[in-house]
Amino acid sequence: MESVINYVYGVIVEGVVVGALFWSITYITMESTSLRGALGAALASEAVGNIPYLFGLGALEAPTLGMTLIGGVVFIRMILRVGELTAFRATYGLAMTYFTLVAIVACS
């Protein structure tokens, strides 16, 4: 039960952080305005990407890396449905979001 609670907590917290950060990066650099779309896409992609953690898998194991990629695809597809960004810009925004998150974690 604890792993399910950690999963839900991680999806919500990480989803909100990723969505808000993605929105702020794309809003500043590409004038995207859909915070709601960014939060929805981030929550859905985190729900998919965090599934391996329910089974106790580590971050660098093959299933986890695969689900992370699938989560990224889910995120990009949902952002494209909003209709404000092209596929390249959505991918760029996602890459910059994770670059920023890695920088924050590495510096703390």
Side-chain angles (χ1 to χ4, degrees):
M1 184 67 169
E2 184 178 332
S3 64
V4 173
I5 293 170
N6 288 339
Y7 170 77
V8 171
Y9 177 76
V11 166
I12 292 171
V13 171
E14 292 170 18
V16 169
V17 169
V18 168
L21 188 58
F22 175 84
W23 175 78
S24 63
I25 288 170
T26 57
Y27 180 76
I28 292 167
T29 62
M30 297 175 265
E31 299 178 4
S32 172
T33 57
S34 180
L35 176 59
R36 185 177 180 179
L39 289 175
L43 288 169
S45 69
E46 287 295 329
V48 170
N50 285 351
I51 289 173
Y53 300 121
L54 283 173
F55 302 101
L57 297 175
L60 297 177
E61 294 183 39
T64 307
L65 295 174
M67 291 305 287
T68 300
L69 291 174
I70 292 170
V73 170
V74 167
F75 186 89
I76 298 298
R77 291 188 54 88
M78 289 184 74
I79 290 297
L80 292 177
R81 282 191 202 168
V82 173
E84 292 182 345
L85 299 174
T86 64
F88 177 77
R89 287 181 175 205
T91 304
Y92 168 77
L94 184 61
M96 291 309 299
T97 299
Y98 279 96
F99 174 78
T100 303
L101 290 172
V102 168
I104 291 170
V105 169
C107 292
S108 59

